[in-house]
Structure formats: C-alpha cells, structure tokens
Amino acid sequence: MGIDPKKSSVNDTTENEKKAAEPENVFVPEEPKFSLDDIILPQSTKDAILDVATYADNSHLVFEIWGFKKTHKFSRRIGINLYGAPGTGKTMAAHAIAKNLGRKILVVNYADVESKYVGETPKNLRKVFETGKATNSILFFDEADAILSKRVTEMTKAVDVSVNQTRSVMLMLMNEYQDFIIFATNFIENFDPAFMRRISMHVKFELPDLDCRQRLWRMYIPEELPNNINVDKLAATYEGISGSDISNAMLNAAFKAARQNANSLDEKLVCEAIENIIDSKAANAKTQNNFKVSRREISEAEYKRLTSENSANAK
C-alpha cells in the first residue's frame, strides 16, 4: 500500500508548524547575580540563609563523621523554600546561596517548562533536572507554587489529568535528585502537602523592620545623587513596605526629577513615589489581604531628632 505524497506533505507541514509554534526549551545556568553582602534582611532571616549556605561545608561532618549517612540515606538532597511577601529579597537570596557555594544557578519559571501540548511539561521538567545535574548547578524554581500547587482531586477535564501528571513527575524527580533545590513563593499556602514534606527547610521572609528600612533607603541612594533626603524620617514614616518598593520609589522619583530638570532630588518627590506605591497596595488589599501598609505621623520634635541623627550619621 503506497503513501499519498499529498497527505504526507500535509502531515509534515502540520508537525513543522507545531514545532515552530512551540519555543525550544533551553535551560542555561548562569553566574549568580548577588552575594550575601548584597542583601539586607532581618538578622533572624539572614541567620537562616547562612544555615542553608553553609550546608555544603558541613555536609561531610554531618553525613560521614557524625553517621547521618546511615540514618538518612536519601537525604543528601536539600530542598529549601523561601517564602513571604513580594519584594522581600527571596530571589536575591537564592542567587546569594549559589554564589556562596561557588556554583552556577539554573533559574526556572513555570513559563519555561509549561507546554500547551499534553505530556510535554513533564519532559521539560526532566530536562531541567538533567541540566542541573550535568552542569553541577543549583536549581532554583521561582514562583514555585505554580509547579508545587495542590493536586486536583476531582478531575473533570483533560487538563486536570495533565496537572496531576506534572505534579507526580515533579515529586519523583525531587525524590531522585540528591542535591540542592531552592524554591521561592509568595503563596506557600498553595503548596501540596506532599511537596511540603520533601522540602527540608522553610525560610520566611518578613517585610523589613525599621533598621532594615533605614539601611535599604541608604543602599538605594547613589553617592553621586544630590539630594535633601532624610533617610531616618522616611524609614520611620513608611511602614509595611518592601526593599523592592524602596528601590522602585527611588528610581521613579529620580526620573521625575530629571524630567523636571531639577538639579537635585527633593525628598518630596520620593515621598510622592512611595505614597503612590502604598496607595496601590492598599487598593490591592481590598481584594487580597496580603499587605499591610501604613504611614506614621511624625511629630515636630521627632522630626528634629531624626534630622539631627541623620546629619550626625552623614559626618
């Protein structure tokens, strides 16, 4: 029985179009972008990160000398979950851990592995783990709740079956992988309990306290920038904001000053920028109670004290 060349041509064209429409997944490790010195965190959070970062240094002592290789035969892998509010430094911390270990980091977002074709997403996950092992890289799953979310119990659609298949493959890969895996999420409550059991450590990232806010404001003000900014006043006035909020506020204010042809950055513009961010969070909180943002009223006496301290610190 012969093959119809016309049908064969149509099938080949359809297959080629399908492949062309689906971007090739290439997972490439990169050099870590941040070190532990680059991140400003509350001391308790930083101590937890240091515990993670020193794992490799202490692995020989714990497993070989102290005998944990006998009692924990399949625990040389270590899954670390960094969770908390957006903008609190989770991604920076993942890079810092990899840098501290002297290894590259393989950053994976769900969009990198998801496929519209049934069965392709699990294959892409396998590629991630294979690449991590072949390149001796630290695996980092950002926005991990998209991959580690709860499995569907009442399957009514084909996509439900596909989701559960992906979760099962991920569990299997985690069980077999005897190395570092780092996860980061803003929504730990969405994790499936099966994944929670397989993650060795969970590190909570809090919004910065007063001391951290002071250091963050100072960090994001370049030395070259002419300004009249009172860092201590800003840190005391605006609570419930993240390092990312402070970074964005400074940059937005600087661009507004540049547009106005100002010779320096006035604190008023910075306040306007951070107030805009706070207002947007407050609006979001009406439907999602994830953020608590507030402004403090600073008395005249406290303002003078903060101004005096700020001037003294600048000398």
Side-chain angles (χ1 to χ4, degrees), residues 39-60:
I39 52 179
I40 294 175
L41 298 168
Q43 192 57 49
S44 59
T45 306
K46 198 153 193 175
D47 287 343
I49 294 299
L50 287 170
D51 289 341
V52 174
T54 57
Y55 176 88
D57 295 333
N58 297 325
S59 181
H60 178 74

Side-chain angles (χ1 to χ4, degrees), residues 167-186:
R167 302 295 180 269
S168 297
V169 169
M170 186 67 182
L171 281 169
M172 179 192 69
L173 292 170
M174 287 176 63
N175 286 336
E176 294 175 351
Y177 197 70
Q178 297 296 302
D179 203 344
F180 260 90
I181 311 175
I182 305 176
F183 304 97
T185 181
N186 302 333

Side-chain angles (χ1 to χ4, degrees), residues 105-303:
I105 185 169
L106 181 58
V107 181
V108 185
N109 294 292
Y110 187 63
D112 299 329
V113 297
E114 184 188 25
S115 174
K116 61 186 176 183
Y117 301 116
V118 175
E120 288 296 314
T121 301
K123 289 181 183 178
N124 292 335
L125 279 174
R126 289 189 179 92
K127 290 179 186 176
V128 168
F129 281 83
E130 288 168 2
T131 303
K133 185 175 182 179
T135 60
N136 192 36
S137 302
I138 302 295
L139 294 184
F140 172 46
F141 288 86
D142 205 0
E143 299 180 355
D145 49 281
I147 298 176
L148 308 186
S149 60
K150 295 179 177 67
R151 284 166 288 187
V152 181
T153 55
E154 296 181 8
M155 293 180 286
T156 58
K157 297 176 289 188
V159 67
D160 296 335
V161 176
S162 179
V163 166
N164 282 358
Q165 181 189 23
T166 298
R167 302 295 180 269
S168 297
V169 169
M170 186 67 182
L171 281 169
M172 179 192 69
L173 292 170
M174 287 176 63
N175 286 336
E176 294 175 351
Y177 197 70
Q178 297 296 302
D179 203 344
F180 260 90
I181 311 175
I182 305 176
F183 304 97
T185 181
N186 302 333
F187 304 104
I188 189 173
E189 64 273 15
N190 291 344
F191 276 24
D192 190 287
F195 290 115
M196 291 291 290
R197 290 194 300 271
R198 286 164 173 80
I199 296 174
S200 308
M201 296 176 64
H202 297 269
V203 180
K204 185 175 183 180
F205 281 64
E206 304 274 8
L207 288 168
D209 57 17
L210 176 61
D211 175 67
C212 284
R213 292 197 301 274
Q214 289 172 334
R215 289 189 286 149
L216 283 163
W217 279 111
R218 290 191 176 93
M219 183 176 76
Y220 287 116
I221 300 176
E223 293 180 4
E224 301 86 348
L225 177 69
N227 69 88
N228 66 346
I229 299 171
N230 186 324
V231 165
D232 294 325
K233 180 188 173 187
L234 288 175
T237 303
Y238 299 108
E239 301 174 318
I241 58 176
S242 68
S244 177
D245 295 333
I246 293 171
S247 172
N248 290 336
M250 282 302 306
L251 195 59
N252 293 342
F255 272 103
K256 189 167 185 177
R259 181 175 62 81
Q260 295 176 350
N261 296 318
N263 294 322
S264 65
L265 180 55
D266 192 282
E267 184 181 272
K268 181 181 178 181
L269 293 181
V270 179
C271 290
E272 288 177 0
I274 198 66
E275 295 254 356
N276 179 270
I277 290 172
I278 287 176
D279 288 343
S280 67
K281 284 191 170 186
N284 179 259
K286 289 180 180 179
T287 54
Q288 299 182 39
N289 296 318
N290 297 325
F291 307 110
K292 293 182 179 180
V293 293
S294 63
R295 309 168 181 81
R296 281 187 61 208
E297 293 297 328
I298 305 297
S299 67
E300 187 65 27
E302 189 173 6
Y303 174 77

